[in-house]
Amino acid sequence: MEWVTKSGNKRSIAVARRLGMRRDGVLRAAAPGPTGRADMEVWSVLAPEWTAGPPAAR
C-alpha cells in the first residue's frame, strides 16, 4: 500500500506512521501549492509487514 501526502501535512503523516508505514522518499517540488511548488512524501508498507499486524503487535 502506498500513501502520498504533502510534506507539511503533519496529520496525514501521523496516520501513515500509525498504520506502520515507512517513508520511502520525497518528491521535491512535485505539486502546485499556494506559495509555489510543494514537496510530496511517499510512504508505504509491504504486504508481509501489513499482515504481521500493527507495529505495536510486532
Side-chain angles (χ1 to χ4, degrees), residues 9-56:
N9 191 338
K10 295 181 190 318
R11 293 176 75 180
S12 184
I13 292 169
V15 170
R17 285 190 174 124
R18 279 196 304 272
L19 291 172
M21 295 182 164
R22 298 181 187 181
R23 187 172 77 168
D24 292 327
V26 177
L27 303 171
R28 296 174 52 205
T35 60
R37 305 293 295 177
D39 293 348
M40 300 295 289
E41 293 191 16
V42 180
W43 292 73
S44 70
V45 63
L46 299 174
E49 296 169 340
W50 184 257
T51 57

